[in-house]
């Protein structure tokens, strides 16, 4: 006899479903990601389960971000419960593949049983009425992006998001609509003051009403996880202080950062005319090799550009010196400039084209970097003394 099907709802049970393990595990993986492991408010450590009409909706939140996903389930008794998010996820993750899982609330003991085959677990619940509801408000703008477009906007910029909490307005991606030479664009920008990343795509229908908004770093990370799981179009809705992403059965709602993003255009040099072009993979691997010797504190690496050659140098009082010479396309006046090697490598890891182009002015000015394979991407990296 199938244990999951043998359980019958009693008068003390107000929630009972049967669900396939993989469907539950996949949804839990999305939802529990926003739940912090340490919470001063106990209910925020739980995920809400809402069984209704042959479906189960799971919700997790930290009060700033909420993720909801709906999956099919056999509903024997409709109702709502909350269970510890991470413990529930670990239990489901460790159950055998192909399991049918029965979830049943015993309202007399305020515990939910998790039964699969011969395995049984009993989880303490917290009151559903204590679970916070994130009111999204009225959305003024709505537009749709292909999953690939959404992922590209995130991937090309998020590595430059600042982690310095005092400059909270830099702790996210700045998304806004704009015109460049008469062309309407949707731009994503991130900067930490040491480097800047900008990605733009043609303006989607409906996005012209989007004000300049700052999407928090955590929200960006959760959104990217969803892109890995889904190739469906993403509907984006924006209100005065929140943003909502919907893709298939998954919905992510987040507060926006209440701050003013700096005028990033001012830090993008317009007159850099010393151009260097090189195979992106060759440069990335060379920087990685030479930076092995760089000081752990500064991670400094020096670039000397002259006569179609690029010399990479690194030295450390503790470790010694490293040098590598590469063939490049460079026919301008010599430039010697230093960069943080980690920043340089993170930027180069986003280059999709075969070659990457650097535009220099002098050793003390920012360099502009362009991906020859992604025309909408542009990067700026600040120099450092070496």
């Amino acid at each position: 006899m199938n244990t999951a099907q043998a359980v019958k709802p009693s008068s003390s049970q107000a929630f009972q479903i049967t669900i396939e393990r993989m469907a539950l595990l996949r949804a839990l993986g999305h939802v529990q990601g926003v739940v912090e492991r340490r919470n001063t408010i106990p209910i925020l450590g739980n995920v809400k389960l809402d069984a209704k009409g042959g479906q189960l909706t799971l919700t997790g939140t930290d009060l700033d971000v909420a993720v909801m996903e709906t999956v099919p389930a056999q509903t024997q008794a409709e109702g709502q419960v909350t269970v510890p998010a991470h413990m529930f996820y670990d239990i489901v993750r460790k159950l055998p593949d192909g399991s049918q899982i029965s979830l049943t609330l015993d309202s007399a003991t305020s515990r939910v049983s998790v039964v699969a085959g011969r395995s049984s677990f009993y989880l303490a619940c917290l009151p559903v009425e204590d679970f916070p509801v994130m009111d999204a408000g009225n959305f003024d703008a709505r537009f749709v992006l292909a999953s690939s477009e959404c992922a590209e906007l995130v991937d090309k910029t998020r590595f430059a998001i600042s982690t310095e909490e005092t400059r909270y307005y830099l702790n996210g991606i700045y998304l806004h609509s704009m015109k460049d030479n008469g062309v309407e664009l949707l731009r994503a920008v991130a900067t930490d003051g040491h480097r800047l990343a900008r990605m733009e795509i043609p303006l989607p229908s409906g996005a012209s009403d989007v004000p300049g908004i700052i999407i928090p770093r955590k929200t960006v990370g959760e959104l990217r996880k969803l892109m890995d799981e889904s190739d469906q179009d993403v509907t984006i809705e924006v209100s005065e202080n929140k943003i909502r992403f919907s893709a298939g059965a998954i919905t992510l709602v987040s507060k926006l950062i209440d701050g003013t993003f700096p005028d990033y255009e001012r830090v993008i040099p317009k007159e850099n005319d010393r151009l260097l072009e090189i195979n992106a993979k060759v440069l990335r691997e060379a920087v990685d090799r030479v930076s092995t010797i760089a000081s752990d504190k500064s991670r400094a690496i020096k670039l000397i550009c002259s006569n179609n050659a690029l010399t990479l140098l690194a030295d450390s009082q503790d470790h010694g010196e490293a040098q590598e010479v590469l063939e490049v396309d460079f026919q301008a006046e010599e430039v010697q400039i230093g960069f943080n090697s980690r920043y340089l490598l993170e930027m180069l890891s986003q280059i999709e084209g075969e070659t990457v182009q650097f535009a220099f002015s002098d050793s003390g000015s920012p360099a502009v970097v362009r991906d020859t394979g992604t025309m909408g991407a542009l990067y700026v990296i600040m120099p450092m003394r070496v």
Side-chain angles (χ1 to χ4, degrees):
M1 181 180 293
N2 187 317
T3 307
Q5 296 177 341
V7 181
K8 301 294 183 183
S10 70
S11 59
S12 63
Q13 296 169 342
F15 170 99
Q16 183 180 9
I17 66 166
T18 304
I19 187 169
E20 197 273 324
R21 171 189 173 271
M22 185 52 68
L24 179 58
L25 181 64
R26 186 181 297 112
L28 266 176
H30 299 151
V31 171
Q32 61 97 34
V34 303
V35 179
E36 300 291 346
R37 290 193 175 271
R38 291 191 177 90
N39 279 296
T40 55
I41 305 173
I43 192 66
L44 294 181
N46 280 24
V47 59
K48 184 174 79 170
L49 308 178
D50 185 356
K52 187 176 182 180
Q55 293 183 319
L56 177 68
T57 299
L58 303 89
T59 305
T61 185
D62 66 354
L63 294 181
D64 292 322
V65 187
V67 175
M68 292 142 280
E69 182 163 0
T70 300
V71 291
Q74 298 175 37
T75 308
Q76 289 89 29
E78 295 185 351
Q80 298 178 331
V81 297
T82 76
V83 293
H86 299 298
M87 183 174 292
F88 187 38
Y89 176 73
D90 284 343
I91 289 170
V92 175
R93 181 173 58 84
K94 294 175 181 179
L95 290 172
D97 289 342
S99 296
Q100 292 292 312
I101 301 174
S102 173
L103 306 175
T104 308
L105 170 67
D106 187 332
S107 54
T109 61
S110 294
R111 297 198 306 176
V112 168
S113 64
V114 182
V115 179
R118 297 183 180 182
S119 300
S120 301
F121 303 84
Y122 302 90
L123 300 178
C125 300
L126 290 174
V128 171
E129 52 269 24
D130 291 347
F131 195 85
V133 177
M134 183 177 286
D135 182 13
N138 297 319
F139 291 105
D140 302 316
R142 180 182 184 276
F143 60 97
V144 178
L145 292 180
S147 176
S148 58
E149 290 178 316
C150 190
E152 196 169 42
L153 287 173
V154 169
D155 289 342
K156 300 300 183 185
T157 56
R158 68 169 173 163
F159 71 92
I161 295 175
S162 174
T163 57
E164 186 181 333
E165 298 301 330
T166 54
R167 304 172 74 187
Y168 66 94
Y169 48 86
L170 297 182
N171 294 159
I173 291 177
Y174 180 55
L175 187 70
H176 66 298
S177 58
M178 55 87 62
K179 278 189 178 181
D180 187 3
N181 293 323
V183 179
E184 293 187 316
L185 301 167
L186 181 66
R187 262 188 190 169
V189 183
T191 181
D192 59 5
H194 303 289
R195 64 265 177 90
L196 178 145
R198 190 190 79 188
M199 180 65 199
E200 59 192 24
I201 61 173
L203 188 71
S205 176
S208 58
D209 296 328
V210 176
I213 57 173
I214 308 173
I215 306 170
R217 180 175 60 244
K218 181 175 180 178
T219 305
V220 170
E222 294 303 320
L223 174 63
R224 191 60 188 86
K225 291 178 189 176
L226 301 185
M227 295 300 95
D228 285 337
E229 297 285 341
S230 172
D231 58 0
Q232 299 189 55
D233 289 351
V234 182
T235 299
I236 302 175
E237 298 165 281
V238 181
S239 69
E240 184 178 356
N241 54 16
K242 291 188 178 69
I243 188 167
R244 180 164 65 194
F245 302 90
S246 304
I250 308 172
T251 300
L252 186 158
V253 181
S254 170
K255 292 180 180 178
L256 297 168
I257 292 178
D258 183 13
T260 302
F261 200 79
D263 182 5
Y264 65 88
E265 291 281 8
R266 293 175 56 190
V267 303
I268 302 176
K270 303 295 191 294
E271 306 299 329
N272 288 19
D273 56 1
R274 303 184 195 181
L275 303 182
L276 178 149
E277 192 162 318
I278 184 174
N279 181 285
K281 182 174 183 290
V282 168
L283 178 59
R284 184 171 61 249
E285 292 175 349
V287 170
D288 191 27
R289 283 191 292 269
V290 173
S291 64
T292 306
I293 209 81
S295 165
D296 292 337
K297 184 177 181 179
S298 69
R299 300 188 179 92
I301 185 170
K302 187 174 184 178
L303 281 65
I304 303 175
C305 316
S306 64
N307 300 324
N308 288 328
L310 171 64
T311 303
L312 305 177
L313 298 170
D315 64 76
S316 165
Q317 289 185 342
D318 298 325
H319 304 128
E321 300 177 358
Q323 173 179 312
E324 186 161 344
V325 180
L326 304 173
E327 291 185 4
V328 297
D329 182 359
F330 183 80
Q331 300 173 19
E333 184 180 348
E334 180 177 298
V335 177
Q336 298 191 21
I337 190 167
F339 294 122
N340 179 303
S341 59
R342 180 171 67 85
Y343 293 163
L344 191 56
L345 282 171
E346 288 179 345
M347 182 187 65
L348 290 172
S349 69
Q350 300 305 320
I351 304 299
E352 293 186 5
E354 183 177 350
T355 61
V356 59
Q357 184 188 80
F358 286 76
F360 302 106
S361 174
D362 53 57
S363 61
S365 301
V368 177
V369 183
R370 291 183 173 86
D371 182 351
T372 59
T374 308
M375 300 310 295
L378 179 143
Y379 308 99
V380 177
I381 183 167
M382 299 295 293
M384 65 184 299
R385 292 183 178 181
V386 292

